Structures are given as C-alpha cells and as structure tokens.
Amino acid sequence: MSTTEAWTHRRLLEWTTGFLEQHGSESPRLEAELLLAEAVGCQRIELYTSFESVPADGKRDLFRELVRQRAAGTPVAYLLGRREFYSLEFHVTRDVLVPRPETEFLVVRALDLLKSHCGDRSPQVADIGTGSGNIAVSIAKHAPRAQVVAVDISSVALAVAADNVRRHKLEEQIQLIESELFDAVEQTAQFDLIVSNPPYITTAELAELPPEVADHEPRLALDGGPQGVSVIEQLIPQAAERLVVGGHLLLEVSPTTVERVAALIEADGRFERLPTVQDLSGLPRVVGARRC
Ligand code: GLN
C-alpha cells in the first residue's frame, strides 16, 4: 500500500477488496467496508459519504492489521467482536461459534411454535449448547412471555452469553447454566420447547473444513464425532424426558446428517416427527418433533 497518491477510503476499499478476494474471501467488498468502518470508528454506511477522506496514520495502521488478520483466515466477526443475528447484535469472541444465518430458520420455527402456545403459564424453553446465546436471546426478545434456560458445557462461552443477555436486558427471562446437556438442569424442570444447534460436523467433514472455520472456531462447538450425531444421540432421549407431552424439539442439522437424526428420533419412540424446515438453498436445516 504505498504510492504518492493519497490513501483515501475509496482507494483503501478498492485495494483491500482485491486483496481479500485473492485470499479467498467470498464477500471481499463487504468485509473491506466492515473492517475500514471499524478502524476509522464510523458506521459502514458513513463510508459512502466519505470516500475521499484520508484516515490518520494510526487508523490506517489499525486497518492494515485487521486486513492482515482477515487475509490470514480470522473470521470478520472475531475481528470486530460482534455479529448480527436475527437483526440483533451479538458480542462474539473466539470462545463461541460465530452465529450463522441458517440458524435463523430454527428461531423462526421456534417463535411459530411459541405463538400457538396457549395457557396461562409462560412457555418454558431450553436452549442446549447456547454458545453466544444467539438463539436464546432472539427467542426471548420476540417471545416476551417465554422463560428460557440456556446451557453450555463451556464456561467461557457462557461468559459471552451472559454479556449478550445483559446487553439485550433479558436477565429476567434467561437463566444460564453450565451443564453438559441437561445434567445440571434442575431435575424436575420440564419444558414446552427444547431447541439446539448442537455440534454436528462428522470427523471426516472436520478434516475438510475451510481453515477459516477449522483453525479459528471452537472445536467443541463443531465436533459431532464419527457420524456427526454423538451429541444428538444423547440429547434426544434427554429431551424426551424433559419435554411435556405435546412439547416440541427443534434441532439444527446438517444436510449430511439429517437422515441419521430423523432415524434417532423415530427409534426413540416417544416422538412424532414434524416436517423438516429447509433453508434458502432448499437444504434440510431444522428437524422438528413433538413429544407424544
Ligand atoms: N447456539 C449457538 C449457535 O447457534 C452455538 C452453537 C454451537 O456452539 N454448536 O450459533
């Protein structure tokens, strides 16, 4: 980045877009804008009215460092320390999975089911493997009567979730528990809805993941064992125990494991399957079941 021509926002964006593209970024322009806005301390949209501005040296150095880390594979969400999910902003660190747009389908389905929940009691929801708390927070925010128990086996992930619960002022609605699945959840607690985006990547797929995911995101949040269902096969019977009759289970799945997950639910014998929700690419994404 050195010629005599001034490094305006416009030039920085153009150069960086090409650079990130060469390094395999799928949205190089967007990422360049997000990183530049972060470095100069403005909103992304404001860059459009300041194309000819020249950032001060310190800001340009910061931008250069962010671009270097991005090109080396660090996800943008970790560089910014935040990610939007379901139109809400979440604090994220390397201790949690970066929330994905696919997971919004699970939230949509969960909110649909909660809408039809009747009775005077507030609906009881459990989110297993909450990570950043994105699912629990999005549900609680849009279903203000719901009470959510959000668990994770990772204490460092729970610290991030706690921060997000505070940011969205949902302390009254969300209880965070450090627990392996339901182990540490009060024995007598029963739920109307159990949701989870569990680790579901198979051992073979883990070896093939792009370095951006494999080298930066927590393995604990991804690794589903040899068949991708090691956690899910423990979760299904526990969910059957913890759901009220008529309660629902929603699991995010990978298109490669959906059949296995469906078979595990059938084999349990205590559920009736709901239609699988597809994502925008038409891929199966959310398996649902009703406790009979
Ligand atoms: N619930 C979080 C998410 O959906 C974390 C999931 C996980 O760590 N497997 O992004």
Short mmCIF file of all heavy atoms in Angstrom, two decimals, residues 2 12 15 34 37 40 94 98 106 109 125 127 131 148 155 163 169 176 190 199-200 216 228 231 243-244 248 275:
data_model
loop_
_atom_site.label_atom_id
_atom_site.label_comp_id
_atom_site.label_asym_id
_atom_site.label_seq_id
_atom_site.Cartn_x
_atom_site.Cartn_y
_atom_site.Cartn_z
N SER A 2 1.73 1.47 -1.00
CA SER A 2 2.50 2.71 -0.93
C SER A 2 2.73 3.29 -2.31
O SER A 2 3.41 2.70 -3.13
CB SER A 2 3.83 2.46 -0.21
OG SER A 2 4.64 1.65 -1.03
N LEU A 12 -8.49 2.67 -0.40
CA LEU A 12 -8.28 1.58 0.57
C LEU A 12 -9.28 0.46 0.32
O LEU A 12 -8.92 -0.72 0.34
CB LEU A 12 -8.43 2.10 2.00
CG LEU A 12 -7.27 2.97 2.51
CD1 LEU A 12 -7.66 3.68 3.80
CD2 LEU A 12 -6.02 2.12 2.74
N TRP A 15 -8.44 -1.41 -3.03
CA TRP A 15 -7.25 -2.26 -2.91
C TRP A 15 -7.55 -3.50 -2.04
O TRP A 15 -7.24 -4.63 -2.38
CB TRP A 15 -6.10 -1.45 -2.28
CG TRP A 15 -4.81 -2.20 -2.26
CD1 TRP A 15 -3.85 -2.21 -3.23
CD2 TRP A 15 -4.35 -3.11 -1.24
NE1 TRP A 15 -2.82 -3.04 -2.88
CE2 TRP A 15 -3.11 -3.62 -1.66
CE3 TRP A 15 -4.88 -3.53 -0.01
CZ2 TRP A 15 -2.36 -4.53 -0.91
CZ3 TRP A 15 -4.14 -4.45 0.74
CH2 TRP A 15 -2.90 -4.93 0.30
N LEU A 34 -16.54 -3.35 6.31
CA LEU A 34 -16.73 -3.56 7.75
C LEU A 34 -15.44 -3.27 8.51
O LEU A 34 -15.45 -2.64 9.58
CB LEU A 34 -17.16 -5.01 8.01
CG LEU A 34 -18.60 -5.36 7.62
CD1 LEU A 34 -18.81 -6.88 7.61
CD2 LEU A 34 -19.59 -4.70 8.58
N ALA A 37 -14.61 0.57 8.41
CA ALA A 37 -15.50 1.30 9.33
C ALA A 37 -15.05 1.09 10.78
O ALA A 37 -15.02 2.03 11.58
CB ALA A 37 -16.95 0.84 9.15
N VAL A 40 -11.70 3.16 11.34
CA VAL A 40 -11.83 4.62 11.43
C VAL A 40 -12.90 5.03 12.45
O VAL A 40 -13.04 6.21 12.77
CB VAL A 40 -12.10 5.30 10.06
CG1 VAL A 40 -11.01 4.97 9.05
CG2 VAL A 40 -13.47 4.95 9.50
N ARG A 94 -13.60 -15.65 20.31
CA ARG A 94 -13.15 -16.95 19.80
C ARG A 94 -13.65 -18.11 20.66
O ARG A 94 -13.43 -19.26 20.31
CB ARG A 94 -11.62 -16.98 19.72
CG ARG A 94 -11.08 -16.12 18.59
CD ARG A 94 -9.59 -15.91 18.72
NE ARG A 94 -9.03 -15.25 17.54
CZ ARG A 94 -9.14 -13.94 17.28
NH1 ARG A 94 -9.82 -13.17 18.10
NH2 ARG A 94 -8.61 -13.44 16.19
N VAL A 98 -19.40 -18.53 15.62
CA VAL A 98 -19.97 -17.33 15.00
C VAL A 98 -21.40 -17.68 14.59
O VAL A 98 -21.62 -18.64 13.85
CB VAL A 98 -19.16 -16.91 13.75
CG1 VAL A 98 -19.83 -15.72 13.07
CG2 VAL A 98 -17.72 -16.59 14.12
N LEU A 106 -34.16 -21.84 12.59
CA LEU A 106 -34.57 -22.51 13.82
C LEU A 106 -35.32 -21.52 14.72
O LEU A 106 -36.35 -21.86 15.31
CB LEU A 106 -33.32 -23.07 14.53
CG LEU A 106 -33.58 -23.86 15.80
CD1 LEU A 106 -32.61 -25.03 15.89
CD2 LEU A 106 -33.42 -23.01 17.02
N ARG A 109 -38.87 -20.96 13.40
CA ARG A 109 -39.73 -22.12 13.72
C ARG A 109 -40.10 -22.13 15.20
O ARG A 109 -41.24 -22.39 15.57
CB ARG A 109 -38.99 -23.40 13.32
CG ARG A 109 -39.81 -24.64 13.35
CD ARG A 109 -40.80 -24.69 12.18
NE ARG A 109 -41.72 -25.81 12.33
CZ ARG A 109 -42.98 -25.70 12.76
NH1 ARG A 109 -43.49 -24.52 13.07
NH2 ARG A 109 -43.74 -26.77 12.87
N VAL A 125 -38.69 -22.79 27.84
CA VAL A 125 -37.85 -23.14 26.70
C VAL A 125 -36.46 -23.52 27.19
O VAL A 125 -35.94 -22.89 28.13
CB VAL A 125 -37.73 -21.94 25.72
CG1 VAL A 125 -36.87 -22.30 24.51
CG2 VAL A 125 -39.11 -21.46 25.28
N ASP A 127 -32.47 -24.05 25.68
CA ASP A 127 -31.55 -23.95 24.53
C ASP A 127 -30.27 -24.68 24.93
O ASP A 127 -29.56 -24.25 25.85
CB ASP A 127 -31.27 -22.48 24.23
CG ASP A 127 -30.18 -22.29 23.16
OD1 ASP A 127 -29.95 -23.23 22.37
OD2 ASP A 127 -29.58 -21.20 23.11
N GLY A 131 -23.83 -21.32 23.30
CA GLY A 131 -22.73 -20.55 22.69
C GLY A 131 -22.84 -19.08 23.06
O GLY A 131 -22.90 -18.73 24.24
N VAL A 148 -36.49 -18.86 29.43
CA VAL A 148 -35.52 -19.68 28.71
C VAL A 148 -34.39 -20.12 29.64
O VAL A 148 -33.78 -19.29 30.33
CB VAL A 148 -34.92 -18.90 27.51
CG1 VAL A 148 -34.01 -19.80 26.69
CG2 VAL A 148 -36.02 -18.30 26.63
N SER A 155 -17.64 -22.88 30.10
CA SER A 155 -17.84 -21.71 30.97
C SER A 155 -17.45 -20.43 30.24
O SER A 155 -18.05 -19.38 30.46
CB SER A 155 -17.03 -21.85 32.26
OG SER A 155 -15.67 -22.00 31.94
N ASP A 163 -22.96 -11.86 28.71
CA ASP A 163 -22.81 -10.49 28.23
C ASP A 163 -23.95 -10.14 27.26
O ASP A 163 -24.54 -9.06 27.33
CB ASP A 163 -21.44 -10.37 27.54
CG ASP A 163 -21.14 -8.94 27.17
OD1 ASP A 163 -21.54 -8.05 27.93
OD2 ASP A 163 -20.54 -8.72 26.10
N LYS A 169 -30.88 -6.92 27.83
CA LYS A 169 -31.71 -6.73 29.03
C LYS A 169 -32.72 -7.86 29.22
O LYS A 169 -33.92 -7.63 29.41
CB LYS A 169 -32.45 -5.37 28.96
CG LYS A 169 -31.51 -4.19 28.81
CD LYS A 169 -32.23 -2.90 29.03
CE LYS A 169 -31.32 -1.70 29.12
NZ LYS A 169 -30.27 -1.60 28.08
N LEU A 176 -28.85 -18.80 32.70
CA LEU A 176 -27.71 -19.50 32.09
C LEU A 176 -27.18 -20.55 33.05
O LEU A 176 -27.00 -20.27 34.24
CB LEU A 176 -26.61 -18.50 31.75
CG LEU A 176 -26.98 -17.46 30.69
CD1 LEU A 176 -25.93 -16.37 30.63
CD2 LEU A 176 -27.14 -18.12 29.32
N GLN A 190 -39.38 -29.09 33.53
CA GLN A 190 -39.97 -29.63 32.31
C GLN A 190 -40.13 -28.49 31.31
O GLN A 190 -40.33 -27.34 31.71
CB GLN A 190 -41.35 -30.22 32.61
CG GLN A 190 -41.30 -31.48 33.46
CD GLN A 190 -41.00 -32.72 32.62
OE1 GLN A 190 -41.74 -33.04 31.71
NE2 GLN A 190 -39.92 -33.40 32.93
N PRO A 199 -23.25 -29.47 18.12
CA PRO A 199 -22.12 -29.78 17.23
C PRO A 199 -22.52 -30.95 16.34
O PRO A 199 -22.96 -31.99 16.86
CB PRO A 199 -21.00 -30.20 18.19
CG PRO A 199 -21.53 -30.11 19.57
CD PRO A 199 -22.95 -29.70 19.53
N TYR A 200 -22.42 -30.79 15.02
CA TYR A 200 -22.89 -31.87 14.15
C TYR A 200 -21.96 -32.17 12.97
O TYR A 200 -22.35 -32.81 12.01
CB TYR A 200 -24.31 -31.60 13.66
CG TYR A 200 -24.54 -30.27 12.95
CD1 TYR A 200 -23.89 -29.97 11.76
CD2 TYR A 200 -25.47 -29.36 13.45
CE1 TYR A 200 -24.13 -28.76 11.11
CE2 TYR A 200 -25.71 -28.15 12.80
CZ TYR A 200 -25.04 -27.86 11.64
OH TYR A 200 -25.28 -26.68 10.99
N HIS A 216 -10.11 -21.47 13.64
CA HIS A 216 -10.50 -20.32 14.47
C HIS A 216 -11.71 -20.57 15.36
O HIS A 216 -11.79 -20.00 16.44
CB HIS A 216 -10.76 -19.10 13.57
CG HIS A 216 -9.54 -18.68 12.82
ND1 HIS A 216 -8.60 -17.84 13.35
CD2 HIS A 216 -9.08 -19.03 11.60
CE1 HIS A 216 -7.61 -17.67 12.49
NE2 HIS A 216 -7.88 -18.37 11.41
N GLY A 228 -21.27 -37.60 13.28
CA GLY A 228 -21.86 -36.26 13.42
C GLY A 228 -23.02 -36.21 14.41
O GLY A 228 -23.63 -35.15 14.59
N VAL A 231 -23.41 -36.03 19.98
CA VAL A 231 -24.11 -35.22 20.98
C VAL A 231 -25.62 -35.41 20.81
O VAL A 231 -26.36 -35.59 21.79
CB VAL A 231 -23.72 -33.73 20.85
CG1 VAL A 231 -24.53 -32.88 21.81
CG2 VAL A 231 -22.22 -33.55 21.10
N LEU A 243 -39.38 -33.00 28.05
CA LEU A 243 -40.49 -32.29 27.40
C LEU A 243 -41.82 -32.69 28.02
O LEU A 243 -42.04 -33.87 28.35
CB LEU A 243 -40.54 -32.62 25.91
CG LEU A 243 -39.53 -31.89 25.00
CD1 LEU A 243 -39.53 -32.52 23.61
CD2 LEU A 243 -39.85 -30.40 24.90
N VAL A 244 -42.73 -31.73 28.12
CA VAL A 244 -44.10 -32.08 28.49
C VAL A 244 -44.72 -32.81 27.30
O VAL A 244 -44.24 -32.66 26.17
CB VAL A 244 -44.94 -30.81 28.82
CG1 VAL A 244 -44.33 -30.02 29.97
CG2 VAL A 244 -45.08 -29.91 27.59
N HIS A 248 -42.24 -29.58 22.09
CA HIS A 248 -41.52 -29.75 20.83
C HIS A 248 -40.01 -29.72 20.99
O HIS A 248 -39.47 -29.00 21.83
CB HIS A 248 -41.93 -28.64 19.85
CG HIS A 248 -43.33 -28.76 19.38
ND1 HIS A 248 -44.37 -28.10 20.00
CD2 HIS A 248 -43.87 -29.46 18.36
CE1 HIS A 248 -45.50 -28.40 19.38
NE2 HIS A 248 -45.23 -29.23 18.38
N PRO A 275 -42.60 -31.76 9.87
CA PRO A 275 -41.88 -31.56 8.60
C PRO A 275 -40.53 -30.85 8.85
O PRO A 275 -40.46 -29.94 9.68
CB PRO A 275 -42.81 -30.67 7.78
CG PRO A 275 -44.14 -30.73 8.45
CD PRO A 275 -43.90 -31.09 9.88
#
